[in-house]
Amino acid sequence: MNILISHATVLCMDEANTVLSDGFVLVKGREIAYVGPIRPAEAVDREINGTGKVLMPGFVDCHTHLTMSLMRGYGGGHDLQTWLNDYIFPVEAKLDNRAVRAGTALALAEAISCGITSVSDMYYFCDDIIAEVVKSGISANIARGATVFTDDFDPHTYPACAESVALAETWHNYNDGQIKIDACIHGEYTSNPKLWAWMADFAGKYGLQMHVHLSETKSEHTACLQRWGKTPAAVFEEYGLWNTPAIAAHCVWTTPEDWEIFKRHGVTAVHNPASNMKLASGAAPAAAMLDAGVNVALGTDGMSSNDNHDMFEEMKLAALLARVSSMDPMALSDAAVLKMATVNGAKAQGRNAGVVKAGAQADLILVDFRSPNLQPCHDVSANLIYSAHGSNVCMNMARGSVIYENGNFLTLDLDEIYREVERYAIPKLFR
């Protein structure tokens, strides 16, 4: 379909930070065909009136564990290692395909209603996750999280390695790039050099990007220094994990030397402020990394440590954390925060999205600024970061198709998702 969105305030997120007060955006197929202040002359299949609304790029959530929506609010009040070992890992051991699909679908519904049009997910049961993502209509970079704790394993038969190869051969660039497969190391502390070397070679062979957890906690970072005499970023550089574009999630305890490594190799640092605050891991130095030339994006992490997919909240927390940790109200500009949630995330995923311009993928959302929490509006960017929340999203368009509008899901059956979660997944995992 050709769709015209008319009379919206258009936040373009281009290099000039263009905002059109009464703009028109024409979408043809999966791409944006026109952006400007004048109505295009050609006929369209549908027109969406954007009066009183802000049109902007959809959010790119660069670090998720979608299935973990089933663990929302479970095992709180603990440090990362206690939380993982005593609560999360025992529940995950009970997962099966059906429960994974239910949890993934629930997470996707929440993400879509909050304006997310693309995610970078790290988990297992990836075929089931991909099936739900494809049905939802959003885009995703999918990574099979790989862990190994012994040296005597054969990467050709080890499940995480074998599944990663199968995923790359089956799904990479599926449906004109809707699905991309990333290579993945769960973390330095959950793996070893043999796996790192194999994964680096695998990524290079298949032309994949990399997705890892990195320096999330002080204890993780310090233990790596004790083991190798190097930071996790430096160790991974030694083993070639940065030889392809990469996403490094958390980066709370990274150093200026690490940032130079990131800049040199094009590694994106993904800031997960809500999750890192809940687990008391610390606050990633997002502003300093941006100043050092690192691409910094935003992620929500899993819902067991957040506990929502609201990227408006992540933007606000990122801005406030930068200010309070530096005691500088100008530490992170509004423009920089918005780019972390859109432009920078799309760059990290290798997608032509995150911006409203002709030729870009039509991943767009409408935010209703007639809501009480967004009135009055002295500055569009400030309202989006500090006042808006996911419930203000009234339209989500992914790859040129409207998938959510005025509270209605057009690709997902919310009642069926609730039934699967309540009648199957929760009893299986927690009872």
Side-chain angles (χ1 to χ4, degrees), residues 1-3 27-32 57-59 112 115-119 133-141 171 173-180 349-354 360-365 395-404 411:
M1 292 181 66
N2 293 351
I3 300 174
V27 174
K28 291 184 177 182
R30 294 176 180 169
E31 290 188 352
I32 299 169
F59 295 123
I112 288 168
I116 292 169
T117 52
S118 189
V119 300
V133 170
V134 169
K135 183 166 56 177
S136 77
I138 71 168
S139 300
N141 286 39
W171 290 109
N173 286 324
Y174 173 81
N175 195 17
D176 195 27
Q178 180 185 7
I179 301 297
K180 293 178 179 288
Q349 290 189 331
R351 298 185 182 277
N352 181 25
Q361 183 166 288
D363 287 354
L364 304 168
I365 61 173
M395 190 275 287
N396 186 323
M397 171 186 284
R399 294 163 54 85
S401 295
V402 177
I403 61 173
Y404 174 83
T411 58

Side-chain angles (χ1 to χ4, degrees), residues 7-8 24 33 36 39 79 92 113 116 155 163 229 239 261 268 274 289 298 323 333 411:
H7 301 296
F24 296 82
R39 174 187 289 271
D79 64 274
E92 288 182 325
S113 69
I116 292 169
E163 290 172 27
Y239 283 88
I261 292 173
T268 294
M289 287 191 286
L298 285 177
R323 293 182 179 193
S333 70
T411 58

Side-chain angles (χ1 to χ4, degrees), residues 68-81 83 87-88 216-217 250 252 271-284 300-308 313-314 317 321:
M68 296 181 82
S69 65
L70 298 172
M71 303 160 215
R72 190 192 316 267
Y74 178 70
H78 298 280
D79 64 274
L80 176 66
Q81 297 305 321
W83 173 76
Y87 293 89
I88 300 306
E216 181 175 0
T217 66
H250 301 295
V252 174
H271 187 19
N272 301 262
S275 176
N276 293 150
M277 291 172 70
K278 183 178 181 183
L279 293 171
S281 300
T300 57
D301 207 1
M303 293 308 93
S304 52
S305 62
N306 187 311
D307 298 14
N308 63 58
E313 179 176 272
E314 299 302 323
L317 289 175
L321 276 174

Side-chain angles (χ1 to χ4, degrees), residues 94-111:
K94 301 177 184 179
L95 284 169
D96 64 6
N97 303 73
R98 185 175 172 184
V100 165
R101 285 190 176 230
T104 300
L106 179 63
L108 289 169
E110 181 185 5

Side-chain angles (χ1 to χ4, degrees), residues 67 89 91-95 100 121-129 143-145 163:
T67 303
F89 290 159
V91 169
E92 288 182 325
K94 301 177 184 179
L95 284 169
V100 165
D121 194 67
M122 179 197 293
Y123 216 60
Y124 55 124
F125 290 93
C126 292
D127 290 292
D128 297 289
I129 293 170
R144 202 299 189 186
E163 290 172 27

Side-chain angles (χ1 to χ4, degrees), residues 46 90 212 337 417:
R46 184 186 176 195
V212 305
V337 173
I417 291 170

Side-chain angles (χ1 to χ4, degrees), residues 315-329:
M315 289 196 296
K316 182 173 184 175
L317 289 175
L320 298 182
L321 276 174
R323 293 182 179 193
V324 74
S325 60
S326 66
M327 299 301 289
D328 178 5

